[in-house]
Structure formats: C-alpha cells, structure tokens
Amino acid sequence: REVSRDISDRGCSNMSLKLKVNAKPLLNDFEFIDRRYMEQARNYVDRLGVFFQSDIKRSMATPKSGQIYDGHQASAPGEPPAIDTGILVNSIMFKKEGPLVAKVFTNTEYAERLEVEMNRSFMGEDSPARLNTERRATALRPLLRVGRR
C-alpha cells in the first residue's frame, strides 16, 4: 500500500491513495494449487486405470456357469470369459499415455470376438469391471481438492 500526496503550483493539495498489491505470493499460491491439483488428477487417473485393469482380471476369475469342457468350466453368455490358458487375463495391460490419460487394453486376437460376438463382456461398456470403475470414479472424485493441506 502506498499513500502519495501531490501539491500543485497553485497551493492546492490533491491527496490520493494508491494501492499496490504484491502479486508474487498470490502467484506462488496459484502455482502451488495448480501443481497440487494436477498431481491429484494424475493420481486419480492412475488409480482408476489400475483399478479397471485389476477388476477386469478379477471378473475373469469369478465362478462361471457355462458348459464344462475337459474339466474346464466355461463362461456363459453375459459373463466375463473364464480363465483357461491364462493368455487373455495376462494380456490385460495398463499404460500411461499422457499426464491425464491412461489406457487399459489387450492385444490378443480373440478378445474382441469374446467381447462382441460371444457376449462375454469383460472390458466393454456393459462389463462389470467398467461399471465398477465408473462407480469408483464417482466415489473418488470428491478427493480432488484445491488448496493447501
């Protein structure tokens, strides 16, 4: 805060109040808040990606009600695929693609056929893992806070 008094040639005084705000501490706070929020947002995305990956794998390991082939209990339509050789379940991967982007994927040739053609949803829109992850996302969202702790 700065107070100045100007006196002109005519003997009149002109008093004014000039306020100066040192914005540096505020900018530092904003930078801290921005960094803290971004850190929390990255953690939020990471947690959801790992949760989705884990839940897909868990859903495959649950008991199934399909036909039994050579001692293997297959999944029925509407259930996530049953684990047989372990190739599919072990191919479910999590990858960071950016600060706020995570990707959960599989590169097995038959994954899409199981998901779409055979109605063995394990990571699609109607899969239990996807629905659980959406619920988890809603539950975790309030944990994104702005400000110092």
Side-chain angles (χ1 to χ4, degrees), residues 2-125:
E2 180 180 295
V3 177
S4 64
R5 186 171 186 200
D6 297 320
I7 301 175
S8 69
D9 294 336
R10 299 183 191 156
C12 297
S13 67
N14 181 9
M15 193 167 189
S16 65
L17 178 66
K18 187 187 283 185
L19 295 175
K20 278 187 178 178
V21 176
N22 183 356
K24 188 140 179 88
L26 286 176
L27 291 175
N28 289 338
D29 281 348
F30 290 145
E31 288 171 9
F32 171 81
I33 290 168
D34 186 47
R35 280 193 312 273
R36 184 75 183 128
Y37 186 80
M38 285 300 292
E39 177 184 321
Q40 289 179 13
R42 280 191 299 272
N43 289 340
Y44 174 79
V45 169
D46 290 350
R47 287 172 70 181
L48 290 176
V50 170
F51 179 81
F52 186 41
Q53 177 192 28
S54 299
D55 211 37
I56 291 168
K57 292 180 176 190
R58 266 192 304 275
S59 73
M60 291 180 184
T62 59
K64 307 301 179 203
S65 63
Q67 294 182 10
I68 298 177
Y69 302 96
D70 299 322
H72 168 72
Q73 177 80 55
S75 58
E79 295 177 339
I83 299 172
D84 186 11
T85 63
I87 293 172
L88 179 62
V89 72
N90 289 320
S91 74
I92 307 298
M93 306 300 286
F94 167 81
K95 179 182 177 186
K96 292 281 295 177
E97 291 198 331
L100 298 177
V101 180
K103 180 179 179 179
V104 176
F105 64 98
T106 178
N107 56 6
T108 56
E109 293 176 17
Y110 57 90
E112 187 173 359
R113 183 169 172 257
L114 281 169
E115 180 86 38
V116 178
E117 295 174 25
M118 297 179 71
N119 190 22
R120 304 303 198 272
S121 186
F122 61 98
M123 63 190 302
E125 288 185 23

